Amino acid sequence: VQLVESGGGLVQPGDSLSLSCAASGMNFALYVMNWYRQAPGKQRELVAQITRDNKANYVDFVKGRFTISRDNGKNTVYLQMNSLSPEDTARYYCHAELDWRTKYWGQGTQVTVSY
């Protein structure tokens, strides 16, 4: 199983960024897909989740700004991030969960929001 994130970069406050996570080696449609992030000195935290039946869930601090989506035909999950602020600066990780025993992480992609 491999999860490969892409789309990170350096943007200014107020800008948008779209992350992608391409999965391979797994039956993608069966997995709950999550985006986490980890800022320096902080714990990794859940940002958004999309279920097998395409229901999206968000943590409060990204509601209305971030949108998670998936394309099972492309084995890819996306995170559209709008109205970015410096507080969104973190390494963003893709996470796949089949059940309590079967979980996978990507290597992450860095998002930096700064002038």
Side-chain angles (χ1 to χ4, degrees):
V1 173
Q2 192 173 20
L3 301 174
V4 180
E5 301 95 332
S6 62
L10 171 63
V11 296
Q12 294 188 352
D15 284 353
S16 297
L17 207 57
S18 181
L19 306 183
S20 299
C21 170
S24 59
M26 58 191 276
N27 191 337
F28 181 79
L30 297 181
Y31 283 74
V32 174
M33 298 301 298
N34 306 299
W35 283 99
Y36 283 77
R37 72 185 186 186
Q38 187 168 20
K42 295 187 177 180
Q43 288 189 331
R44 193 170 297 188
E45 59 185 0
L46 179 66
V47 174
Q49 177 186 80
I50 188 162
T51 65
R52 298 174 187 86
D53 57 356
N54 232 28
K55 180 182 177 183
N57 300 297
Y58 303 94
V59 294
D60 285 346
F61 54 79
V62 304
K63 281 182 180 177
R65 299 190 300 124
F66 291 11
T67 302
I68 189 171
S69 60
R70 66 190 297 162
D71 185 336
N72 290 342
K74 295 182 178 180
N75 288 357
T76 301
V77 61
Y78 306 94
L79 186 67
Q80 176 65 40
M81 305 185 294
N82 299 328
S83 302
L84 286 163
S85 72
E87 289 72 31
D88 296 313
T89 294
R91 191 164 187 85
Y92 285 71
Y93 295 89
C94 181
H95 177 260
E97 181 173 350
L98 180 64
D99 54 42
W100 67 273
R101 294 178 299 178
T102 309
K103 304 177 183 182
Y104 302 100
W105 290 96
Q107 293 300 307
T109 185
Q110 179 66 35
V111 172
T112 303
V113 185
S114 178
Y115 286 109

